[in-house]
Amino acid sequence: MNRRSNRAIVVNQIGYPLHSTKQAVFTKDGTFHVVNESSGIVVFTGRTSSLNNDPASGHMVALGDFSEVNEIGRFYIQHEIENVTSAPFSIQPHPYTALHHGLLKAFYYFRCGQELTPELAGPWHHSACHLAEGFVYDNPEQRLDCSGGWHDAGDYGKYIVPGAKAVADLLLAYELYPSAFRRPVPIPETDGFLPDVLHECRWELDWMFKMQHPSGGVFHKLTTHQFPPLTTLPEHDLEPLIFSPISSTATGCFAAIMAKAARIYQPFDAKYAHKCIQASVLAWEWLMNNPGVLAFHNPPDIGTGDYSDQQDIDDRYWAACELYATTHNPVYQDALLTMSKEAFHKFGLCWSNIGGYGSIAYLLSDITQTDCELYDQLLSGLRNEADYMLWKSSTDGYGISLLKDEYIWGSNKVVMNNAMLLLIAYRFFEDKRYEAAALNHVHYLSGRNSLDLSYITGFGDHSVQHPHYRPSIADDTTDPVPGLVSGGPNAGLHDEISKKSLQGLPPAQCFIDHEDSYATNEVAIYWNSPALFVLSHWEQQK
């Protein structure tokens, strides 16, 4: 455990865009100086706001604005009180290039079924893993190829629903910000033709094809019976792999992401795009033939993550919206119009409430092809959601859209999902407040938080060092795999080390950088993916 004494000034430890609003958060008010790190010259002197109570963190906090500093370089902030300084940070036109690259490269490190070579993976290389065929639950005689895809999180399971969310974020980032992905990662498939982000998504999509039953239904997940010990390297995890039963949520998400992929890959590989849409339509037909919710629950002898969900209307709605956006077939519009009248959240971006991707797909469609009434309802709903995020951000001492009771398992995913929604709203309404609020969420993730901690491994002056991530725990490399987003504060204290160490702390401080803390410090593909989307906005070449 390493709960060190935090600095009294917290900043985005990566940096600030050149002509953006630039603020630091102080736990001591007064006069402060912005100092050029290399020359020691004070480039700006300002005074903080008065201190105010921030209930989520339990701190009295003040803001110090240094937006007038539009000088490229490396800086730190010094309080008038001697020896009180911040982490160093950059001011650049594109300060997040390396971070954006690292967040995307992380998906290569999550790859299953492929050797990660020293040339591409550096000290975090390892042998190919999980190459054996898996067996279908309740039919152990049926064995199927199941190699490929991404490990979901700190374990080695592979799951359709969160995998679809992760791919959706990456494809949407490419769709809206293609210029952010001009730089090769590189990865084994780098060819100078297909952008590497699409190569990386294809690694997951190709595994997803293997999860579709000939009926069109999709197996919910592929895991061993139980999680392996933390000290297990991926290639040493040799327990039998099991295709868990089909679920309607997995099938709906599969139909949706394959339809979206068909649109995105069409200009590059028409044959592959056709394969995607065929798989999507087959999954949709299964959904039509199985109108009831086929919810997934772990069989009694399986103890891995279940991603269970008691409703599938959001998954089906997403599928219909993506299929309509790709095919313009009125059958899918009729279906989504019917479903849109049901009561479910139309802007959820979480695996358990994923309908927001459907609404976004519909809003991004050719407006001449959409139903005017539904389009206007969704546009109004998007503005209302974004305005609610603004209000929540205005009540938080660190400028993020989490209320005191929203520091849950994977709270950093919620932070980045909210920032995604703000940027989608900015695209439609061009309200600079939405963009500025989204940037505050980036600042929080990168160190401007009550723990003075960058929640992204390998990035920042003080970043997460001990994530709940088996490859980094089991290898002989001191530094963790870089570019992984940690789950973040979780007031639920769901693991033993959290219960032992964090009792009584305010919600925003319920985090421990310890490998045993799966409830606060695990990593996951669908925590990286919204962060990559958000950073793509500032990495695009304007």
Side-chain angles (χ1 to χ4, degrees):
M1 176 175 124
N2 57 349
R3 294 187 63 81
R4 63 167 179 67
S5 176
N6 299 332
R7 289 173 283 223
I9 310 170
V10 293
V11 297
N12 182 326
Q13 297 172 17
I14 311 301
Y16 296 80
L18 186 59
H19 295 292
S20 67
T21 298
K22 307 175 190 75
Q23 293 178 327
V25 178
F26 295 71
T27 53
K28 298 178 185 294
D29 59 358
T31 300
F32 67 92
H33 310 288
V34 180
V35 183
N36 184 291
E37 186 181 39
S38 60
S39 68
I41 295 173
V42 174
V43 300
F44 177 81
T45 297
R47 187 166 181 84
T48 71
S49 65
S50 59
L51 288 168
N52 290 289
N53 182 44
D54 177 47
S57 67
H59 289 165
M60 296 292 291
V61 298
L63 291 178
D65 192 294
F66 55 101
S67 301
E68 292 180 31
V69 181
N70 285 313
E71 173 184 329
I72 293 172
R74 293 275 297 172
F75 306 89
Y76 63 89
I77 296 176
Q78 186 173 40
H79 196 277
E80 63 182 349
I81 300 173
E82 188 177 0
N83 296 326
V84 176
T85 61
S86 74
F89 57 88
S90 293
I91 297 177
Q92 298 284 342
H94 293 282
Y96 307 129
T97 296
L99 176 57
H100 182 265
H101 179 264
L103 290 168
L104 178 55
K105 179 66 177 282
F107 287 90
Y108 169 72
Y109 290 116
F110 276 117
R111 284 192 183 190
C112 180
Q114 182 183 62
E115 178 187 5
L116 304 190
T117 65
E119 292 77 16
L120 294 178
W124 303 283
H125 61 89
H126 63 76
S127 302
C129 59
H130 303 101
L131 298 175
E133 291 184 327
F135 69 84
V136 177
Y137 194 83
D138 285 339
N139 188 7
E141 300 303 315
Q142 185 180 10
R143 295 185 176 271
L144 302 170
D145 176 24
C146 57
S147 61
W150 299 320
H151 297 144
D152 173 67
D155 60 271
Y156 300 131
K158 295 183 287 189
Y159 307 81
I160 288 291
V161 177
K165 185 264 192 293
V167 176
D169 290 341
L170 269 58
L171 294 183
L172 191 59
Y174 175 74
E175 184 178 13
L176 299 188
Y177 311 116
S179 65
F181 296 96
R182 291 174 180 168
R183 175 186 177 186
V185 172
I187 51 179
E189 298 82 7
T190 299
D191 58 10
F193 172 67
L194 188 68
D196 278 354
V197 64
L198 300 188
H199 279 305
E200 194 58 66
C201 288
R202 188 165 174 166
W203 186 262
E204 178 78 349
L205 291 166
D206 285 348
W207 167 75
M208 285 184 170
F209 285 128
K210 300 175 183 181
M211 296 294 286
Q212 187 172 35
H213 187 270
S215 67
V218 177
F219 296 114
H220 192 79
K221 66 176 185 175
L222 180 88
T223 70
T224 53
H225 282 95
Q226 305 292 334
F227 293 129
L230 281 178
T231 54
T232 307
L233 285 167
E235 62 266 38
H236 296 160
D237 181 25
L238 302 176
E239 292 299 306
L241 293 164
I242 309 140
F243 288 83
S244 285
I246 290 170
S247 73
S248 55
T249 53
T251 306
C253 285
F254 177 95
I257 200 58
M258 287 297 173
K260 184 172 189 66
R263 285 201 309 282
I264 301 298
Y265 286 90
Q266 177 64 36
F268 301 100
D269 189 338
K271 184 178 179 181
Y272 190 74
H274 182 66
K275 181 179 180 181
C276 290
I277 198 62
Q278 281 187 312
S280 176
V281 169
L282 184 61
W284 178 260
E285 290 173 352
W286 184 95
L287 290 170
M288 294 301 96
N289 293 329
N290 296 270
V293 178
L294 187 59
F296 178 80
H297 297 285
N298 266 338
D301 56 338
I302 294 180
T304 52
D306 62 0
Y307 290 101
S308 60
D309 194 350
Q310 299 308 302
Q311 70 167 19
D312 63 10
I313 183 66
D314 51 323
D315 310 273
R316 291 172 183 262
Y317 169 76
W318 179 25
C321 290
E322 296 285 7
L323 276 160
Y324 182 64
T326 300
T327 68
H328 300 301
N329 187 328
V331 168
Y332 303 118
Q333 167 127 297
D334 290 344
L336 70 89
L337 287 173
T338 299
M339 286 185 279
S340 70
K341 294 177 173 62
E342 297 194 33
F344 66 96
H345 186 31
K346 305 298 191 301
F347 290 97
L349 298 177
C350 179
W351 64 264
S352 59
N353 196 331
I354 208 162
Y357 293 99
S359 297
I360 291 167
Y362 200 70
L363 288 172
L364 290 173
S365 298
D366 183 347
I367 193 168
T368 63
Q369 301 288 331
T370 58
D371 177 86
C372 292
E373 183 179 357
L374 177 59
Y375 185 93
D376 290 344
Q377 287 176 358
L378 292 177
L379 203 60
S380 176
L382 175 61
R383 187 188 286 275
N384 289 340
E385 286 290 315
D387 286 344
Y388 182 49
M389 299 301 172
L390 283 185
W391 175 80
K392 289 200 290 185
S393 298
S394 72
T395 68
D396 182 77
Y398 293 84
I400 62 166
S401 57
L402 289 188
L403 300 178
K404 190 176 179 181
D405 62 354
E406 292 179 320
Y407 288 85
I408 60 173
W409 198 315
S411 63
N412 283 339
K413 168 202 65 184
V414 182
V415 169
M416 288 294 102
N417 283 347
N418 291 352
M420 270 189 70
L421 189 139
L422 284 161
L423 290 175
I424 296 292
Y426 174 68
R427 181 180 183 87
F428 281 96
F429 304 114
E430 298 183 349
D431 187 330
K432 284 286 188 180
R433 296 177 303 160
Y434 298 152
E435 183 184 43
L439 185 55
N440 279 337
H441 291 60
V442 174
H443 296 332
Y444 169 88
L445 193 72
S446 306
R448 203 184 72 180
N449 53 62
S450 64
L451 297 179
D452 183 27
L453 177 69
S454 169
Y455 287 112
I456 310 152
T457 59
F459 290 89
D461 175 73
H462 175 225
S463 62
V464 166
Q465 293 294 310
H466 307 286
H468 182 86
Y469 180 59
R470 282 167 176 77
S472 280
I473 295 169
D475 66 19
D476 56 2
T477 302
T478 301
D479 292 330
V481 170
L484 305 178
V485 175
S486 173
N490 175 9
L493 308 183
H494 293 102
D495 57 56
E496 291 305 313
I497 190 71
S498 295
K499 292 175 183 176
K500 179 180 177 181
S501 306
L502 305 175
Q503 288 287 348
L505 288 177
Q509 294 196 54
C510 289
F511 175 87
I512 182 169
D513 185 9
H514 194 290
E515 65 188 34
D516 289 336
S517 186
Y518 52 83
T520 75
N521 202 27
E522 191 168 9
V523 300
I525 54 174
Y526 58 101
W527 301 347
N528 257 67
S529 59
L532 181 68
F533 175 94
V534 171
L535 268 296
S536 298
H537 177 82
W538 282 277
E539 186 56 19
Q540 65 181 318
Q541 304 299 311
K542 296 183 178 179

